[in-house]
Amino acid sequence: MRLLSRAMIGILAGAGLFAGAAHAEEGRLRIAQQFGLAYLLLNVADDQKLIQKHGAAAGVDITVEFVQLSGGAAVNDALLSGNIDIGGAGVGPLFTIWDRTKGGQSVKGVASLGNFPYYLVSNNPAVKTIADLSDKDRIAVPAVGVSVQSRILQWASAKLWGDDQYNRLDAISVAVPHPEAAAAIISGGTEITTHFGNPPFQEEELAGNPDAHVILNSYDVQGGPASSTVLYATEAFYKDSPKTYAAFIDALEEAAALINADPEQAADIYLRATGARIDRKLLLDIITSDDVTFKIAPENTLGLGQFLHRVGAIKNEPSALADYFFDDPRVAGGS
């Protein structure tokens, strides 16, 4: 697993070192994921070889490759350049790439990775809400103006200051991978005073620095539990690799069932897959939290897309899940 920036993706693709293709291919699956517990379904599917298992049941020998990226912008670049088949990122980047490719490569959602509250955590005692943030603060997000954290922050800003001020806090936001941002919040003494993260990094920050505190909860902005991290692909992959696509969905569904039935095993898989040094009890507390749900049907995603259209961040307005998610009976019941 490796971390690649947007620039590095371009270099590797241009040099032919990051295997890419202009078309989908049955039996090959290249998946981009990012950091955090939001990607536990992928960790479990990989660890248990569930994609290969369901592919074999359908008569397809599937070769699975994973690449670790940081930020929705990097994931979107990799998908559009044909270097991956499925991207894992926030629903914000999904709306961006759906809007950009509508009528062309036609990127849509494949499945949710579950519901997780994302916390905006500050180690600045003077900051109690986003209204207290100033030019002296720096907000770490995976990708400024694109990541779901950045988009939710824009939504919160619009609610506080008005739609014309939706991107007000972009000016003090910086793109930093979650592990580095969490380390900065815990240690203090850096320009980064605030981090819009995801589990388990946000919980580690709260446990590791007595000054760390939550100033915004994504669920409060989104109007309740929501699927902030999703998987998406091009229409070419959806249509040209139906058996591989179906095996992937089957694998995700089985992974969710395993996590819900045996969180202890799921925690061990996460630790093994990521090499994270997080306290195991803290990890289990997150996995079993009432605020966290592992499932593949998206929930409460439409509102963000409609907000982005309202402020002009995307041109096309989504009106239903079917606009921006591929058809699958296990996903179609989402919202």
Side-chain angles (χ1 to χ4, degrees):
M1 303 283 264
R2 58 197 183 279
L3 169 63
L4 299 178
S5 67
R6 297 180 69 184
M8 185 58 71
I9 287 173
I11 293 170
L12 293 176
L17 297 177
F18 188 17
H23 59 86
E25 182 179 315
E26 191 79 276
R28 179 180 65 175
L29 185 56
R30 300 161 300 164
I31 306 165
Q33 64 182 36
Q34 299 186 58
F35 297 100
L37 199 60
Y39 297 90
L40 183 58
L41 286 185
L42 294 180
N43 298 144
V44 171
D46 184 31
D47 184 84
Q48 300 292 299
K49 306 301 178 189
L50 300 181
I51 302 170
Q52 295 89 332
K53 168 188 168 181
H54 288 282
V60 180
D61 182 15
I62 302 177
T63 300
V64 182
E65 302 172 29
F66 284 88
V67 61
Q68 189 95 42
L69 303 178
S70 180
V75 172
N76 287 357
D77 285 350
L79 187 64
L80 293 180
S81 61
N83 290 309
I84 59 172
D85 302 300
I86 290 179
V91 70
L94 166 60
F95 280 120
T96 297
I97 196 170
W98 166 75
D99 180 65
R100 177 180 173 186
T101 63
K102 189 174 174 63
Q105 288 176 284
S106 298
V107 172
K108 289 187 177 182
V110 172
S112 166
L113 286 171
N115 294 354
F116 305 86
Y118 290 176
Y119 301 152
L120 183 62
V121 175
S122 178
N123 62 12
N124 181 349
V127 174
K128 305 300 183 184
T129 72
I130 62 171
D132 299 320
L133 292 166
S134 72
D135 290 342
K136 296 179 181 179
D137 295 291
R138 289 296 178 269
I139 307 166
V141 293
V144 178
V146 179
S147 64
V148 67
Q149 287 88 350
S150 190
R151 291 305 198 186
I152 291 172
L153 186 58
Q154 291 175 346
W155 198 359
S157 297
K159 289 183 176 184
L160 179 62
W161 294 300
D163 283 357
D164 61 334
Q165 296 288 309
Y166 81 95
N167 59 355
R168 174 172 174 166
L169 296 177
D170 286 4
I172 60 171
S173 298
V174 292
V176 182
H178 290 313
E180 286 86 341
I185 294 297
I186 293 171
S187 65
T190 76
E191 68 169 2
I192 297 173
T193 61
T194 312
H195 174 213
F196 212 154
N198 68 0
F201 303 106
Q202 58 196 22
E203 286 81 7
E204 290 184 291
E205 293 165 0
L206 296 172
N209 185 333
D211 289 328
H213 56 285
V214 178
I215 64 171
L216 187 72
N217 183 325
S218 63
Y219 281 4
D220 292 336
V221 182
Q222 294 167 291
S227 304
S228 293
T229 303
V230 295
L231 299 161
Y232 46 90
T234 64
E235 188 175 39
F237 176 74
Y238 174 70
K239 289 184 174 180
D240 298 344
S241 304
K243 291 183 179 180
T244 303
Y245 186 94
F248 181 62
I249 296 289
D250 289 340
L252 292 176
E253 192 170 48
E254 184 173 347
L258 184 153
I259 296 167
N260 292 322
D262 193 348
E264 296 269 359
Q265 182 184 5
D268 290 337
I269 289 173
Y270 180 80
L271 293 171
R272 184 164 62 244
T274 65
R277 298 176 181 175
I278 182 175
D279 178 77
R280 190 173 183 277
K281 183 183 182 304
L282 179 60
L283 182 62
L284 273 170
D285 286 345
I286 300 169
I287 293 174
T288 59
S289 168
D290 291 340
D291 289 333
V292 172
T293 307
F294 294 94
K295 62 178 184 177
I296 65 172
E299 182 176 350
N300 201 11
T301 61
L302 180 59
L304 179 60
Q306 293 180 331
F307 158 72
L308 293 176
H309 175 263
R310 190 177 75 239
V311 298
I314 60 176
K315 294 183 295 183
N316 297 287
E317 181 179 10
S319 59
L321 188 76
D323 290 337
Y324 54 96
F325 264 81
F326 290 119
D327 182 42
D328 184 278
R330 291 161 294 185
V331 173
S335 59

